[in-house]
Amino acid sequence: MTQIRTDLALEAAENLQAGGPAAGKLSGVVTRTERRQGVSVTEVRILDETGARALGKPVGRYVTMELEEQPFSQQAACLASLLAELLPRGPVLTAGIGNRDMTCDAIGPTAVDHLLVTRHLVRSGQEPFRGMGELSALCTEVLGRTGMETCELIRAAAGAVRPAAVVAVDALAARRQERVCRTVQVSDTGIVPGSGVGSHRTAVDRETVGVPVIAVGVPTVIDGAALGSDTEAAPQGLYVTPRDIDRQVRQLGRLLGYGISLAVQPGLTAEDLAALAE
């Protein structure tokens, strides 16, 4: 049987539940769907190792927001609220993971382009910046260019800036076509860089970095095996991405950058960021 991979906990749960009535009762997994600011949000909580084995993902919270036709400011505010629930108080370091030269893997660097970084301003002690949250950022590039693992770079940066948490942004892979570039997953379990394009590296999580790691990801590709049918062999080792992926990555990177910035600066709006960060 062909295994179709997905980085979305929601899809992993759906896949098991599709197995029949017995599969519908997942031990160690709780799901809940609600609407926040007009956006459909589904939370999957993996409670124990039984649930982790069933879904193939670490114990923790996985929240998926569905991007429909909501205004950009509404989507950014929803993402900010999801992140604010997971982030501890204190400075935040955002790591944009991925290869800027590979469009479907450029979500992380593009998100960093749209952040309102403030660590240097807050630390200047000047009056306009007092009371703002500290946000710093880096783009980790890829191993072939730096010779260093993503985790090594983030751990070194975290040692220098001493954040309360790291937000790691990366591309993901989905199982269903309608979720490609149409969903955002936020989790408190960290991330495995390159998972969206099948290049697995050392995990970036609390154990390897030393502080909580909140993962933010957008599926930009679909496993080619999901495109097969009963009458034709499913493609193996193939990942498919939308033909307008460059436009979609630009838009999604901006959304993630704004969402992270608003989570750190709850007193601002998307309109404020447009004036300050663009």
Side-chain angles (χ1 to χ4, degrees), residues 1-14:
M1 180 178 175
T2 301
Q3 292 295 317
I4 302 173
R5 62 177 290 272
T6 176
D7 294 316
L8 300 178
L10 172 60
E11 289 190 336
E14 289 174 344

Side-chain angles (χ1 to χ4, degrees), residues 198-209:
S199 177
H200 295 274
R201 312 303 310 177
T202 303
V204 177
D205 54 24
R206 184 167 196 156
E207 182 178 350
T208 58
V209 176

Side-chain angles (χ1 to χ4, degrees), residues 4-273:
I4 302 173
R5 62 177 290 272
T6 176
D7 294 316
L8 300 178
L10 172 60
E11 289 190 336
E14 289 174 344
N15 294 345
L16 280 183
Q17 290 167 340
K25 299 177 181 179
L26 296 177
S27 177
V29 178
V30 175
T31 63
R32 178 172 62 98
T33 299
E34 62 177 345
R35 292 197 79 83
R36 285 200 189 189
Q37 288 138 329
V39 180
S40 178
V41 174
T42 301
E43 178 176 352
V44 177
R45 284 192 184 230
I46 302 178
L47 306 176
D48 53 33
E49 290 305 320
T50 299
R53 285 193 297 271
L55 266 61
K57 302 189 181 302
V59 172
R61 296 174 63 185
Y62 300 80
V63 187
T64 302
M65 55 180 285
E66 307 275 354
L67 305 177
E68 299 162 329
E69 298 302 320
Q70 307 94 348
F72 175 84
S73 59
Q74 193 173 323
Q75 294 175 345
C78 179
L79 177 56
S81 72
L82 298 179
L83 286 167
E85 288 186 1
L86 298 178
L87 287 171
R89 292 176 62 89
V92 173
L93 168 65
T94 296
I97 299 171
N99 185 349
R100 193 183 288 274
D101 294 334
M102 182 185 294
T103 307
C104 64
D105 193 34
I107 281 285
T110 306
V112 168
D113 289 344
H114 294 284
L115 290 175
L116 177 63
V117 293
T118 56
R119 179 176 180 266
H120 59 306
L121 300 174
V122 173
R123 297 207 165 201
S124 73
Q126 297 179 45
E127 181 59 37
F129 311 113
R130 290 178 185 172
M132 294 186 73
E134 283 191 31
L135 179 59
S136 53
L138 80 155
C139 293
T140 61
E141 280 287 355
V142 291
L143 181 65
R145 269 190 201 141
T146 65
M148 292 177 281
E149 289 278 0
T150 295
C151 181
E152 293 175 322
L153 291 166
I154 296 174
R155 186 167 58 231
V161 304
R162 300 188 180 279
V166 169
V167 175
V169 186
D170 199 7
L172 305 177
R175 186 181 193 273
R176 295 173 58 182
Q177 283 181 264
E178 58 267 32
R179 289 211 169 99
V180 176
C181 294
R182 302 304 300 161
T183 55
V184 179
Q185 178 175 271
V186 179
S187 74
D188 61 2
T189 61
I191 201 164
V192 178
S195 60
V197 290
S199 177
H200 295 274
R201 312 303 310 177
T202 303
V204 177
D205 54 24
R206 184 167 196 156
E207 182 178 350
T208 58
V209 176
V211 297
V213 177
I214 309 304
V216 180
V218 173
T220 57
V221 297
I222 183 173
D223 188 341
L227 304 176
S229 67
D230 295 334
T231 58
E232 96 183 25
Q236 298 296 304
L238 176 68
Y239 291 90
V240 181
T241 195
R243 64 181 179 181
D244 63 341
I245 188 63
D246 51 348
R247 177 185 63 83
Q248 298 212 46
V249 164
R250 285 196 302 271
Q251 294 177 343
L252 290 163
R254 182 169 179 259
L255 172 63
L256 300 192
Y258 274 48
I260 295 167
S261 298
L262 292 175
V264 178
Q265 314 294 346
L268 299 181
T269 66
E271 291 73 22
D272 294 330
L273 290 179

